[in-house]
Amino acid sequence: MSYGLTTRVLHADRQGDIEHGAVHKPMHPSAAYRYDDVNDLVGVFQNTRAGYSYARQGTPTTAALEAKVNLLEGGRGTVSFATGMGALAALFTTLLRAGDHLVSSQYIFGNTNSLLGTLQALGVEVSMVDATDAQAVAQAIRPNTRMVFVETIANPGTQIADLAGIGELCRERGLLYVVDNTISTPYLYRPAVHGAGLVMNSLTKYICGHGNALGGAITDTGCFDWSNYPGISEVYRKGDPANWGLMQLRKKGLRDMGATLSSESAHRIAVGAETLALRMERACHNALTLARRLAEHPGVARVHYAGLATHPQHARATEYFGVGVGEGRREPRYGALLSVELAEGLDCLAFLNALDIVVLSTHLGDSRTLALPAAHTIYHEMGPVKRAQMGIPDSLVRVSVGIEDTADLVADFERGLAAVMDVRRPAA
């Protein structure tokens, strides 16, 4: 029988053996794993036998989480990491070499932007382009280009990359297409439908959903032919080429670099993943309602949210994102991230301080609504020129919408705006 996505995720652990009949896969905190026959231990080290050797490369608990993430993305295999940035760092540093060229969207997470700077210092060439236009990506491709990287919904400006056009371009050129699916989540979108070979999810965000664990994952969708990729080391060019990419990521990114997800965090994330659909439905509803109300408010100059008809990529978002992944239906949803520019003369810091329900904090994808002044915090290091290129004005407030009662959330923003508008209003 064919079950829906949430049903399958809820019962994923039961598809394998669970110790003592537990409903959830239990935590395995052991650092080492023993074998009665040394030949089995040798087989694990030489990749001829499945098993665990040392927890740095994974545990039964992280494996159970990887199976759930893989189910969500419809992949052929997934490797988990201690954080989303750990996953990206492992991906870039294990699959790119000095002299290789990477084409990246210019609309990316601030820490990812910093990581690309580190790559350049190590000899990897990086071109950053407007990924809302596939032609801009095409023009940046060079003979030594190995990879194209984009985010689905940009943080914090909500620009939507031309995911379909870039996917077709990468297929034609034989390039590895890497998509960060964190903001849209595999509940709303699967990058594999547009040919992404690797998909990154920061598990810390919506998949965990409760702000109580860090984690990241790379999923191989099966769309990329690794047999022709020059970045695979000779030692990993054994067996089925379809496994080469993830094998190198696990060996180099986990064994050599040690960005290992703990069993405790993996267990928390796996439990959080069970309610992904419920949380995303409520958060997307809240975000659309809030965006519409704020767009009409006199204290707001502009709202960046793909669910608004005024958004430059609204039609594209309507086509790409929605519930019913793999189930033959498509009901548009636009995610739970939005950003707001206040009207001229209004102090965004004072506005944030006037909020009550909203939590003033960095982070995304929490059950609680979070907000911060983007230019003053997470994008401060970039400087004004770089922020301008990324579409981040000084007045921009980033909002990660949670699952509070909708009316309470809207009222909190309206109270905050009223407070700063009263301050600006001249005395009678």
Side-chain angles (χ1 to χ4, degrees):
M1 181 177 292
S2 177
Y3 293 110
L5 187 66
T6 296
T7 302
R8 284 181 283 144
V9 170
L10 272 171
H11 296 278
D13 286 346
R14 295 201 298 131
Q15 303 311 305
D17 293 331
I18 306 182
E19 296 86 333
H20 313 297
V23 175
H24 290 106
K25 187 72 174 178
M27 283 188 285
H28 291 79
S30 180
Y33 294 83
R34 71 170 181 83
Y35 292 88
D36 294 326
D37 187 332
V38 72
N39 292 293
D40 292 334
L41 178 61
V42 170
V44 171
F45 268 82
Q46 296 184 3
N47 305 315
T48 59
R49 181 194 188 284
Y52 304 93
S53 58
Y54 192 59
R56 191 189 316 121
Q57 295 183 67
T59 69
T61 315
T62 59
L65 172 62
E66 290 166 356
K68 286 188 176 181
V69 175
N70 205 56
L71 188 158
L72 286 167
E73 286 290 1
R76 66 169 288 119
T78 294
V79 179
S80 60
F81 296 85
T83 67
M85 288 308 302
L88 282 180
L91 189 157
F92 291 140
T93 57
T94 64
L95 295 177
L96 293 172
R97 300 172 176 176
D100 287 346
H101 178 236
L102 164 70
V103 179
S104 170
S105 170
Q106 69 189 38
Y107 305 119
I108 55 173
F109 177 47
N111 289 354
T112 306
N113 181 79
S114 178
L115 174 60
L116 295 186
T118 300
L119 279 183
Q120 289 176 297
L122 295 174
V124 175
E125 300 172 17
V126 178
S127 296
M128 303 189 75
V129 302
D130 180 359
T132 65
D133 180 5
Q135 187 58 35
V137 176
Q139 292 172 352
I141 292 174
R142 308 170 185 172
N144 60 332
T145 302
R146 300 286 177 256
M147 182 185 299
V148 176
F149 172 76
V150 300
E151 296 178 3
T152 53
I153 303 174
N155 164 24
T158 73
Q159 298 90 346
I160 311 296
D162 184 357
L163 299 167
I166 297 171
E168 180 61 23
L169 174 67
C170 289
R171 186 192 64 77
E172 292 173 353
R173 304 290 184 91
L175 299 174
L176 177 57
Y177 184 24
V178 180
V179 175
D180 183 333
N181 199 28
T182 298
I183 304 301
S184 47
T185 80
Y187 177 65
L188 300 184
Y189 175 68
R190 280 182 176 174
V193 302
H194 291 130
L198 295 178
V199 179
M200 196 287 285
N201 281 284
S202 174
L203 304 178
T204 314
K205 311 300 192 300
Y206 297 97
I207 290 179
C208 177
H210 299 90
N212 61 356
L214 297 175
I218 302 293
T219 298
D220 188 325
T221 66
C223 294
F224 184 70
D225 181 5
W226 291 101
S227 65
N228 295 320
Y229 190 71
I232 299 297
S233 300
E234 194 62 37
V235 67
Y236 303 122
R237 291 179 174 272
K238 299 175 182 177
D240 186 352
N243 298 325
W244 290 356
L246 281 189
M247 177 62 70
Q248 183 156 307
L249 274 167
R250 189 177 291 278
K251 293 295 186 180
K252 293 295 185 182
L254 292 181
R255 184 196 65 192
D256 293 2
M257 300 178 188
T260 306
L261 179 65
S262 72
S263 289
E264 180 179 2
S265 292
H267 188 268
R268 290 183 179 182
I269 295 167
V271 173
E274 296 176 354
T275 58
L276 173 64
L278 300 178
R279 290 182 284 102
M280 285 301 294
E281 280 295 301
R282 179 57 170 263
C284 289
H285 168 75
N286 279 352
L288 181 58
T289 303
L290 182 62
R292 286 172 172 169
R293 293 288 288 272
L294 293 178
E296 298 173 350
H297 198 286
V300 173
R302 188 175 182 185
V303 177
H304 302 270
Y305 183 67
L308 298 178
T310 54
H311 191 282
Q313 292 91 42
H314 172 70
R316 181 180 292 170
T318 301
E319 175 189 352
Y320 290 165
F321 308 130
V323 299
V325 171
E327 297 174 16
R329 60 191 177 89
R330 174 66 58 179
E331 299 174 19
R333 300 288 188 275
Y334 302 95
L337 174 71
L338 61 88
S339 55
V340 180
E341 295 179 45
L342 299 190
E344 186 176 355
L346 296 185
D347 186 342
C348 69
L349 302 183
F351 162 68
L352 287 166
N353 280 335
L355 298 174
D356 180 36
I357 294 173
V358 177
V359 180
L360 307 184
S361 174
T362 188
H363 189 37
L364 297 167
D366 199 293
S367 296
R368 290 154 286 273
T369 297
L370 314 173
L372 52 68
H376 302 74
T377 56
I378 53 177
Y379 294 92
H380 173 69
E381 285 187 8
M382 289 183 178
V385 174
K386 187 70 174 181
R387 288 198 297 269
Q389 292 174 349
M390 296 182 68
I392 305 173
D394 288 346
S395 65
L396 191 74
V397 173
R398 187 187 75 179
V399 184
S400 172
V401 182
I403 62 173
E404 293 92 349
D405 291 299
T406 310
D408 293 337
L409 190 59
V410 170
D412 199 33
F413 275 84
E414 291 180 340
R415 282 193 301 269
L417 287 167
V420 291
M421 291 177 73
D422 285 343
V423 171
R424 188 181 68 171
R425 185 178 297 119

